[in-house]
Amino acid sequence: MNLPRRINADDPRLADVLALIRRSFAYMDGRIDPPSSMHRLTVDRMKDHCEAGGEIWAAGSPPVACIFLTPKADCLYLGKLAVDQAYRGSGLARQLVDLAARRTSDLGLPALELQTRIELVENHRAFARLGFVKTAESSHPGHNRVTDITMRMTL
């Protein structure tokens, strides 16, 4: 397995990363409300993410695992962590979270943060095993119930 590599805005593998995310997040359809933002994700939006200072990292060729990183004022935001079904349990998620923690330190930020949907309790447990702690609950616009939780890893 190739080590995770940073993908730039002009990398042709962006389309492969998008396909990986769609496959990996498909199980959420009909399970979470509102639907996943991956339905609005496009290669052009991924390019914009990279050009605006965000990072996309992927492992494998074609990619079998990926992560999006977005610097914020007080943390590095981890999003779109995806591992292909055939590679789950292989340690790729931990490898990507460890990479994100190194990037957090490289950027001089104190914490790594993510959000996960309230319905995905197995993800809550997985992120807790990786060192994240629940810090907040929030709601998507138009919803009067909690729709996601924020988890944070202080470095």
Side-chain angles (χ1 to χ4, degrees):
M1 175 62 50
N2 298 356
L3 293 176
R5 290 187 0 202
R6 189 169 176 178
I7 295 182
N8 297 313
D10 59 353
D11 194 313
R13 292 180 303 152
L14 284 174
D16 294 330
V17 171
L18 180 57
L20 167 67
I21 291 168
R22 288 183 176 157
R23 283 192 316 273
S24 297
F25 286 27
Y27 79 98
M28 295 179 199
D29 285 343
R31 189 168 169 206
I32 62 171
D33 181 38
S36 172
S37 63
M38 72 100 175
H39 292 290
R40 296 185 306 278
L41 190 61
T42 64
V43 169
D44 284 339
R45 286 186 175 186
M46 294 166 68
K47 287 179 183 181
D48 292 346
H49 175 77
C50 293
E51 290 169 349
E55 301 178 9
I56 299 174
W57 293 79
S61 184
V64 296
C66 69
I67 194 169
F68 286 35
L69 303 174
T70 307
K72 294 187 173 189
D74 67 338
C75 68
L76 185 63
Y77 183 81
L78 181 162
K80 301 293 184 267
L81 173 59
V83 177
D84 188 86
Q85 179 68 35
Y87 291 86
R88 291 187 185 156
S90 69
L92 281 171
R94 174 161 300 280
Q95 187 177 8
L96 288 169
V97 170
D98 289 347
L99 177 134
R102 285 192 304 277
R103 292 296 300 135
T104 301
S105 293
D106 292 347
L107 295 168
L109 295 167
L112 186 57
E113 187 174 89
L114 62 84
Q115 288 185 312
T116 183
R117 293 304 186 88
I118 195 73
E119 298 93 344
L120 304 179
V121 293
E122 67 278 12
N123 288 0
H124 307 176
R125 289 190 299 268
F127 288 124
R129 283 191 304 271
L130 291 169
F132 288 85
V133 176
K134 179 180 171 181
T135 58
E137 296 180 341
S138 58
S139 301
H140 283 77
H143 288 77
N144 59 2
R145 63 173 180 80
V146 172
T147 57
D148 54 31
I149 65 169
T150 300
M151 299 183 81
R152 199 167 174 98
M153 175 192 296
T154 302
L155 302 175

